[in-house]
Amino acid sequence: MGSNSIFSNLTAENTAAEISLLLSADFRRKKTVVLLEGEDDVKAFRFLFDKSVTLIKAYGACTTIDKFLPSEFPDEPRVLGIRDRDYQTAKRHERIFYCDGCCCETMLVADDETFERVAVNFYRGKLPPLKLRYEILRSLFHISAIRLCSERYKWALKISGTDLSRVIRPGKTVTRSEAVGFVNAYNRKNKINGARMKKLAAVRDTGKIEDYLMITNGHDLVAAMRIYFDRASGDRRSVGDKTLSSALRCAYSRDAFHSTELCRELKSYAAAHGLTIVAE
């Protein structure tokens, strides 16, 4: 499959110009432009989408899609956005769609076969793949709850770019106090305490994998997978986060994507507007 994706670092102005140029050349009005958050998302969706779809990496953060699409192409059905849900609770625009779960990585990991394929290649421990997946997601619950609260209550905590191996310990449960202590070490002037602790404690651990998938950050998930895989192999540097991210994308199938809510929504949208978005 040939790729007609745009990988250059675009600004708001030349992103709009590039899209307008693509649309003006589409005399039959059958092509679709999909704005994504980053190159990894472009790589994931290129295989899952029809050849008539052009994928464009957003020029900024996920909020770029939220602002750019309605301001630049408010009435153009051939321009869509797909982004991580993160912790949004309400859809921002009818042409902005969300990955299942919290993000693209959780959508991939939610598929049993995808995770099993990756685990077979990288994990040398004793846990069965699906039990391993559950334990990894569960080990991240309190970190994920902190991320949720930080977003919901505008705490602006530094959580990304931290060393999760300091708190994630395969075979041992991470407590709330341990997770808070870990995050506070990176936020000495913006700590979780007092009223913040009460809000954090209100985030309930249901023990359900579907709930873990809804709040787990993609970078945290891949980092925790690496920690578990490396610990089982006895070599903490045996596999990198980028390698694992690539492995997840490569293991994910079109059949797996066809079972997602995102795919169903895109197919419904495409049918309503005479487009083809999802590859069969």
Side-chain angles (χ1 to χ4, degrees):
M1 177 184 296
S3 172
N4 57 353
S5 307
I6 297 173
F7 289 90
S8 56
N9 293 319
L10 302 175
T11 64
E13 291 75 18
N14 58 28
T15 295
E18 289 281 2
I19 293 174
S20 295
L21 184 63
L22 288 166
L23 295 178
S24 65
D26 178 28
F27 300 111
R28 298 178 60 202
R29 298 184 64 82
K30 294 294 183 182
K31 295 185 181 296
T32 309
V33 176
V34 176
L35 196 64
L36 297 163
E37 291 187 59
E39 283 191 23
D40 284 353
D41 295 324
V42 170
K43 292 173 184 176
F45 284 104
R46 179 67 274 164
F47 173 73
L48 304 174
F49 284 175
D50 187 76
K51 292 181 180 179
S52 63
V53 177
T54 295
L55 306 180
I56 295 183
K57 182 183 74 172
Y59 58 88
C62 58
T63 52
T64 296
I65 296 175
D66 294 344
K67 296 175 182 177
F68 175 85
L69 194 148
S71 66
E72 297 292 338
F73 296 94
D75 303 310
E76 178 50 75
R78 291 174 293 165
V79 182
L80 316 176
I82 297 176
R83 53 158 291 174
D84 293 344
R85 184 183 305 276
D86 294 325
Y87 304 107
Q88 284 190 9
T89 56
K91 193 175 177 70
R92 298 290 178 88
H93 191 276
E94 62 178 3
R95 285 185 284 115
I96 295 177
F97 298 85
Y98 299 91
C99 294
D100 283 33
C102 188
C103 55
C104 184
E105 289 85 355
T106 56
M107 184 175 74
L108 304 184
V109 164
D111 179 62
D112 294 352
E113 189 173 89
T114 297
F115 188 84
E116 288 187 57
R117 285 176 178 172
V118 174
V120 163
N121 280 275
F122 294 102
Y123 180 64
R124 298 294 179 265
K126 297 180 180 179
L127 290 174
L130 299 189
K131 187 173 182 180
L132 171 67
R133 177 180 63 182
Y134 181 84
E135 183 170 314
I136 291 172
L137 289 165
R138 181 168 171 262
S139 74
L140 285 167
F141 170 73
H142 291 297
I143 297 294
S144 301
I146 292 171
R147 280 191 179 274
L148 171 64
C149 287
S150 182
E151 174 68 21
R152 180 178 293 171
Y153 302 114
K154 312 300 182 186
W155 293 348
L157 294 170
K158 173 182 170 57
I159 306 173
S160 298
T162 59
D163 182 7
L164 283 177
S165 66
R166 293 176 54 190
V167 69
I168 300 297
R169 303 160 300 176
K172 296 182 180 180
T173 301
V174 180
T175 66
R176 181 184 296 115
S177 62
E178 288 172 332
V180 169
F182 169 75
V183 172
N184 280 348
Y186 290 92
N187 296 270
R188 297 190 182 280
K189 296 183 179 180
N190 185 26
K191 290 187 175 184
I192 302 169
N193 51 34
R196 287 184 174 185
M197 282 296 293
K198 291 182 180 179
K199 291 182 182 297
L200 181 59
V203 182
R204 180 167 164 260
D205 184 357
T206 66
K208 296 179 180 179
I209 190 169
E210 57 266 31
D211 291 335
Y212 292 149
L213 290 167
M214 285 301 297
I215 67 170
T216 302
N217 172 270
H219 296 294
D220 292 349
L221 176 56
V222 172
M225 287 173 60
R226 171 181 51 78
I227 291 166
Y228 271 78
F229 293 174
D230 288 352
R231 186 67 58 86
S233 69
D235 180 0
R236 295 192 178 189
R237 297 183 180 274
S238 64
V239 59
D241 291 8
K242 289 185 177 181
T243 299
L244 284 180
S245 294
S246 297
L248 284 172
R249 293 193 298 270
C250 291
Y252 197 69
S253 68
R254 287 176 181 164
D255 284 343
F257 183 59
H258 290 166
S259 70
T260 64
E261 182 64 25
L262 172 60
C263 182
R264 288 190 286 272
E265 290 181 357
L266 289 172
K267 281 189 170 184
S268 177
Y269 179 88
H273 293 88
L275 303 170
T276 302
I277 299 174
V278 177
E280 298 297 333

